[in-house]
Amino acid sequence: EDLRVDGRGCEDYRCAEVETDVVSNTSGSARVKLGHTDILVGVKAEMGTPKLEKPDEGYLEFFVDWLV
Protein backbone atom coordinates (compact mmCIF):
# COMPACT_ATOMS: atom_id res chain seq x y z
CA GLU A 1 0.00 0.00 0.00
CA ASP A 2 3.08 2.26 0.06
CA LEU A 3 2.15 3.61 3.54
CA ARG A 4 3.93 3.65 6.85
CA VAL A 5 2.22 2.82 10.15
CA ASP A 6 1.68 6.53 10.88
CA GLY A 7 -0.01 7.10 7.50
CA ARG A 8 2.92 8.75 5.72
CA GLY A 9 3.96 7.49 2.33
CA CYS A 10 7.34 5.79 1.95
CA GLU A 11 8.77 8.95 0.33
CA ASP A 12 7.32 11.35 2.95
CA TYR A 13 9.53 12.67 5.73
CA ARG A 14 8.78 14.14 9.14
CA CYS A 15 9.44 17.79 9.87
CA ALA A 16 12.68 18.23 11.85
CA GLU A 17 13.49 21.07 14.25
CA VAL A 18 16.98 21.67 15.67
CA GLU A 19 17.90 24.10 18.47
CA THR A 20 21.42 24.61 19.81
CA ASP A 21 22.75 25.96 23.12
CA VAL A 22 19.62 24.95 25.04
CA VAL A 23 21.30 23.86 28.29
CA SER A 24 23.26 26.64 30.01
CA ASN A 25 25.63 24.57 32.17
CA THR A 26 27.17 22.56 29.29
CA SER A 27 29.96 23.16 26.79
CA GLY A 28 27.45 22.46 24.05
CA SER A 29 23.89 21.21 23.73
CA ALA A 30 21.19 20.59 21.17
CA ARG A 31 17.53 19.64 21.04
CA VAL A 32 16.14 17.79 18.04
CA LYS A 33 12.43 17.24 17.41
CA LEU A 34 11.48 14.75 14.72
CA GLY A 35 7.77 13.98 14.56
CA HIS A 36 6.76 12.92 18.10
CA THR A 37 10.40 12.22 19.05
CA ASP A 38 12.18 14.81 21.21
CA ILE A 39 15.92 14.41 21.87
CA LEU A 40 18.06 16.56 24.18
CA VAL A 41 21.86 16.20 24.18
CA GLY A 42 24.37 18.03 26.37
CA VAL A 43 28.16 17.78 26.34
CA LYS A 44 30.59 18.96 29.00
CA ALA A 45 34.30 19.09 28.22
CA GLU A 46 37.30 20.24 30.18
CA MET A 47 41.05 19.94 29.94
CA GLY A 48 42.77 17.90 32.63
CA THR A 49 46.23 16.67 33.45
CA PRO A 50 47.28 13.09 32.70
CA LYS A 51 47.49 10.58 35.54
CA LEU A 52 50.90 10.38 37.23
CA GLU A 53 51.43 6.73 36.23
CA LYS A 54 50.76 7.54 32.53
CA PRO A 55 52.09 11.07 31.93
CA ASP A 56 52.13 10.72 28.12
CA GLU A 57 48.53 9.50 27.81
CA GLY A 58 45.22 11.25 28.16
CA TYR A 59 41.91 9.71 29.09
CA LEU A 60 38.27 10.19 28.29
CA GLU A 61 35.34 9.82 30.67
CA PHE A 62 31.75 9.91 29.56
CA PHE A 63 28.33 9.33 31.04
CA VAL A 64 25.00 8.71 29.35
CA ASP A 65 21.58 9.41 30.83
CA TRP A 66 18.35 8.82 29.01
CA LEU A 67 14.66 8.96 29.70
CA VAL A 68 12.11 6.91 27.86
Side-chain angles (χ1 to χ4, degrees):
E1 294 180 18
D2 197 33
L3 290 177
R4 297 179 189 196
V5 175
D6 62 4
R8 291 178 295 130
C10 290
E11 300 294 322
D12 296 335
Y13 61 90
R14 292 182 251 176
C15 180
E17 297 178 40
V18 178
E19 295 177 75
T20 58
D21 298 324
V22 293
V23 181
S24 61
N25 63 340
T26 63
S27 301
S29 62
R31 181 179 188 178
V32 178
K33 293 181 183 180
L34 182 62
H36 296 293
T37 302
D38 194 357
I39 302 166
L40 177 64
V41 176
V43 176
K44 288 187 177 186
E46 62 183 56
M47 295 295 290
T49 56
K51 295 182 179 183
L52 292 175
E53 61 272 10
K54 297 181 180 182
D56 296 327
E57 295 181 20
Y59 64 96
L60 176 66
E61 289 183 308
F62 62 93
F63 304 93
V64 177
D65 290 326
W66 78 25
L67 299 173
V68 178

